[in-house]
Coordinates of all heavy atoms in Angstrom, one line a residue:
S104 N 100.4 111.0 117.6 CA 101.2 109.9 118.1 C 102.5 109.8 117.2 O 103.4 109.1 117.6 CB 100.5 108.6 118.1 OG 100.2 108.2 116.7
H105 N 102.5 110.4 116.0 CA 103.6 110.3 115.1 C 103.9 108.8 114.8 O 105.1 108.4 114.7 CB 104.8 111.0 115.5 CG 104.6 112.5 115.5 ND1 104.5 113.3 114.4 CD2 104.4 113.4 116.6 CE1 104.3 114.5 114.7 NE2 104.2 114.6 116.0
E106 N 102.9 108.0 114.8 CA 103.0 106.5 114.5 C 103.8 105.8 115.6 O 104.2 104.7 115.4 CB 103.6 106.2 113.2 CG 102.9 106.8 112.0 CD 101.6 106.2 111.6 OE1 101.1 105.4 112.4 OE2 101.0 106.5 110.6
S107 N 104.0 106.4 116.8 CA 104.8 105.8 117.9 C 103.9 105.3 119.0 O 103.1 106.0 119.5 CB 105.8 106.9 118.4 OG 106.1 106.6 119.7
Y108 N 104.1 104.0 119.3 CA 103.4 103.4 120.5 C 103.7 104.2 121.8 O 102.8 104.5 122.5 CB 103.8 102.0 120.6 CG 103.4 101.3 121.9 CD1 102.0 101.0 122.2 CD2 104.3 101.1 123.0 CE1 101.6 100.5 123.4 CE2 103.9 100.5 124.2 CZ 102.6 100.2 124.4 OH 102.2 99.7 125.6
E109 N 105.0 104.6 122.0 CA 105.3 105.3 123.2 C 104.6 106.6 123.3 O 104.1 107.0 124.4 CB 106.9 105.5 123.3 CG 107.7 104.3 123.6 CD 107.8 103.3 122.4 OE1 107.6 103.7 121.3 OE2 108.0 102.1 122.7
R110 N 104.6 107.4 122.2 CA 103.9 108.7 122.2 C 102.4 108.5 122.5 O 101.8 109.2 123.2 CB 104.0 109.3 120.8 CG 105.4 109.9 120.6 CD 105.6 111.2 121.3 NE 104.9 112.4 120.8 CZ 105.4 113.2 119.9 NH1 106.6 113.0 119.4 NH2 104.7 114.2 119.5
E111 N 101.8 107.4 121.9 CA 100.4 107.1 122.1 C 100.1 106.8 123.5 O 99.1 107.3 124.1 CB 100.0 105.9 121.2 CG 98.5 105.7 121.1 CD 98.3 104.5 120.1 OE1 98.3 103.3 120.6 OE2 98.0 104.7 118.9
L112 N 101.0 106.1 124.2 CA 100.8 105.7 125.6 C 100.9 107.0 126.4 O 100.0 107.2 127.3 CB 102.0 104.8 126.0 CG 102.0 104.1 127.3 CD1 100.8 103.1 127.4 CD2 103.3 103.3 127.5
I113 N 101.8 107.9 126.2 CA 102.0 109.1 127.0 C 100.7 110.0 126.7 O 100.2 110.6 127.7 CB 103.3 109.9 126.5 CG1 104.5 109.1 127.0 CG2 103.3 111.3 127.1 CD1 105.8 109.5 126.3
D114 N 100.3 110.1 125.5 CA 99.1 110.9 125.2 C 97.8 110.3 126.0 O 97.1 111.1 126.5 CB 98.8 110.8 123.7 CG 99.8 111.6 122.9 OD1 100.6 112.3 123.5 OD2 99.9 111.3 121.6
A115 N 97.7 109.0 126.0 CA 96.5 108.4 126.6 C 96.6 108.7 128.1 O 95.6 109.0 128.8 CB 96.5 106.9 126.4
R116 N 97.8 108.6 128.7 CA 97.9 108.9 130.2 C 97.7 110.4 130.5 O 97.1 110.8 131.5 CB 99.3 108.5 130.6 CG 99.3 106.9 130.6 CD 100.5 106.3 131.3 NE 100.3 104.9 131.4 CZ 101.2 104.0 131.3 NH1 102.5 104.4 131.2 NH2 101.0 102.7 131.3
H117 N 98.1 111.3 129.5 CA 97.9 112.7 129.7 C 96.4 113.0 129.7 O 95.9 113.8 130.5 CB 98.6 113.5 128.6 CG 98.7 114.9 128.9 ND1 98.0 115.9 128.2 CD2 99.4 115.6 129.8 CE1 98.3 117.1 128.7 NE2 99.2 116.9 129.7
I118 N 95.7 112.3 128.8 CA 94.2 112.5 128.7 C 93.5 112.1 130.0 O 92.6 112.8 130.5 CB 93.7 111.7 127.5 CG1 93.9 112.5 126.2 CG2 92.2 111.4 127.6 CD1 93.9 111.8 125.0
A119 N 94.1 111.0 130.7 CA 93.5 110.6 132.0 C 93.8 111.7 133.0 O 92.9 112.0 133.8 CB 94.1 109.3 132.4
T120 N 95.0 112.2 133.1 CA 95.3 113.2 134.1 C 94.6 114.5 133.9 O 94.3 115.2 134.8 CB 96.9 113.5 134.2 OG1 97.3 113.9 133.0 CG2 97.6 112.2 134.6
R121 N 94.4 114.9 132.6 CA 93.6 116.1 132.3 C 92.1 115.9 132.5 O 91.3 116.8 132.3 CB 93.9 116.5 130.8 CG 95.3 117.0 130.6 CD 95.6 118.3 131.3 NE 94.8 119.4 130.7 CZ 95.2 120.2 129.7 NH1 96.3 119.9 129.0 NH2 94.4 121.1 129.3
R122 N 91.7 114.7 132.8 CA 90.3 114.3 133.1 C 89.4 114.7 131.9 O 88.4 115.3 132.1 CB 89.8 115.0 134.4 CG 90.7 114.7 135.6 CD 89.9 114.3 136.8 NE 88.6 114.7 137.0 CZ 88.2 115.8 137.6 NH1 89.0 116.7 138.1 NH2 86.9 116.1 137.6
A123 N 89.9 114.3 130.7 CA 89.0 114.5 129.6 C 87.8 113.5 129.8 O 87.9 112.5 130.5 CB 89.7 114.1 128.3
D124 N 86.6 113.8 129.2 CA 85.5 113.0 129.4 C 85.4 111.8 128.5 O 84.7 110.8 128.7 CB 84.2 113.8 129.1 CG 84.0 115.0 130.1 OD1 84.5 114.8 131.2 OD2 83.4 116.0 129.8
G125 N 86.2 111.9 127.4 CA 86.2 110.7 126.5 C 87.4 110.9 125.5 O 87.9 112.0 125.3
L126 N 87.7 109.8 124.8 CA 88.8 109.8 123.8 C 88.3 109.2 122.5 O 87.7 108.2 122.4 CB 90.0 109.0 124.4 CG 91.1 108.7 123.4 CD1 91.8 110.0 122.9 CD2 92.1 107.8 124.0
I127 N 88.7 109.9 121.4 CA 88.6 109.3 120.0 C 90.0 109.1 119.5 O 90.8 109.9 119.6 CB 87.8 110.4 119.2 CG1 86.4 110.6 119.7 CG2 87.8 109.9 117.7 CD1 85.7 111.8 119.2
V128 N 90.2 107.9 118.9 CA 91.6 107.6 118.5 C 91.7 106.8 117.2 O 90.8 105.9 116.9 CB 92.3 106.8 119.7 CG1 91.6 105.5 120.0 CG2 93.8 106.6 119.4
S129 N 92.7 107.0 116.5 CA 93.1 106.2 115.3 C 94.5 105.8 115.7 O 95.4 106.6 115.8 CB 93.1 107.1 114.1 OG 93.2 106.3 112.9
I130 N 94.7 104.5 115.7 CA 95.9 104.0 116.4 C 97.2 104.1 115.5 O 97.1 104.1 114.3 CB 95.7 102.5 116.9 CG1 95.4 101.5 115.8 CG2 94.7 102.5 118.0 CD1 95.1 100.2 116.3
A131 N 98.3 104.2 116.3 CA 99.6 104.3 115.6 C 100.0 103.0 115.0 O 99.7 101.9 115.5 CB 100.7 104.7 116.7
S132 N 100.8 103.0 113.9 CA 101.2 101.8 113.2 C 102.1 100.9 114.0 O 102.1 99.7 113.7 CB 101.8 102.2 111.8 OG 103.0 102.9 112.0
S133 N 102.8 101.5 115.0 CA 103.7 100.6 115.7 C 103.1 100.1 117.0 O 103.7 99.4 117.8 CB 105.0 101.4 116.1 OG 104.6 102.5 116.9
S134 N 101.8 100.4 117.2 CA 101.1 99.9 118.5 C 100.8 98.4 118.3 O 100.1 98.0 117.4 CB 99.8 100.6 118.8 OG 100.2 101.9 119.2
Q135 N 101.3 97.6 119.3 CA 101.0 96.2 119.3 C 100.1 95.8 120.5 O 99.5 94.8 120.6 CB 102.3 95.3 119.3 CG 103.2 95.6 118.2 CD 102.7 95.1 116.9 OE1 102.1 94.0 116.8 NE2 103.0 95.9 115.8
R136 N 100.2 96.7 121.5 CA 99.4 96.5 122.8 C 98.5 97.7 123.0 O 98.8 98.8 122.7 CB 100.4 96.4 124.0 CG 101.4 95.2 123.8 CD 102.1 95.0 125.2 NE 102.8 96.1 125.7 CZ 104.0 96.5 125.2 NH1 104.6 95.8 124.3 NH2 104.7 97.5 125.7
Y137 N 97.3 97.4 123.6 CA 96.3 98.4 123.7 C 95.8 98.6 125.2 O 94.7 99.1 125.4 CB 95.1 98.1 122.8 CG 95.7 97.8 121.4 CD1 95.8 96.5 120.9 CD2 96.1 98.9 120.6 CE1 96.3 96.3 119.6 CE2 96.6 98.6 119.3 CZ 96.7 97.4 118.8 OH 97.3 97.2 117.6
D138 N 96.6 98.2 126.1 CA 96.2 98.2 127.5 C 95.9 99.7 128.0 O 95.1 99.9 128.8 CB 97.3 97.6 128.5 CG 97.5 96.2 128.2 OD1 96.6 95.6 127.6 OD2 98.5 95.6 128.7
H139 N 96.7 100.6 127.4 CA 96.5 102.0 127.8 C 95.0 102.5 127.5 O 94.5 103.4 128.2 CB 97.5 103.0 127.1 CG 97.7 102.7 125.6 ND1 98.2 101.5 125.1 CD2 97.6 103.6 124.6 CE1 98.3 101.6 123.8 NE2 98.0 102.9 123.4
F140 N 94.4 101.9 126.4 CA 93.0 102.3 126.2 C 92.1 101.6 127.1 O 91.1 102.2 127.6 CB 92.6 102.0 124.7 CG 93.5 102.7 123.7 CD1 94.1 102.0 122.7 CD2 93.7 104.1 123.8 CE1 94.9 102.7 121.8 CE2 94.4 104.8 122.9 CZ 95.1 104.1 121.9
K141 N 92.4 100.4 127.5 CA 91.6 99.6 128.5 C 91.6 100.3 129.8 O 90.6 100.4 130.5 CB 92.0 98.2 128.6 CG 91.8 97.4 127.3 CD 92.3 96.0 127.4 CE 92.4 95.3 126.0 NZ 93.1 94.0 126.1
E142 N 92.8 100.8 130.2 CA 92.9 101.6 131.5 C 92.0 102.8 131.5 O 91.4 103.1 132.5 CB 94.4 102.0 131.6 CG 95.3 100.9 132.1 CD 96.8 101.3 132.0 OE1 97.1 102.5 131.9 OE2 97.7 100.4 131.9

Side-chain angles (χ1 to χ4, degrees):
S104 66
H105 294 289
E106 303 288 14
S107 153
Y108 166 73
E109 286 74 21
R110 286 285 287 268
E111 190 178 85
L112 190 65
I113 291 163
D114 293 344
R116 291 195 172 144
H117 194 251
I118 281 160
T120 56
R121 291 292 294 273
R122 305 227 336 268
D124 296 332
L126 170 65
I127 294 164
V128 64
S129 190
I130 59 186
S132 60
S133 62
S134 290
Q135 304 289 322
R136 299 193 302 280
Y137 308 103
D138 295 345
H139 45 301
F140 299 128
K141 294 175 190 169
E142 280 166 23

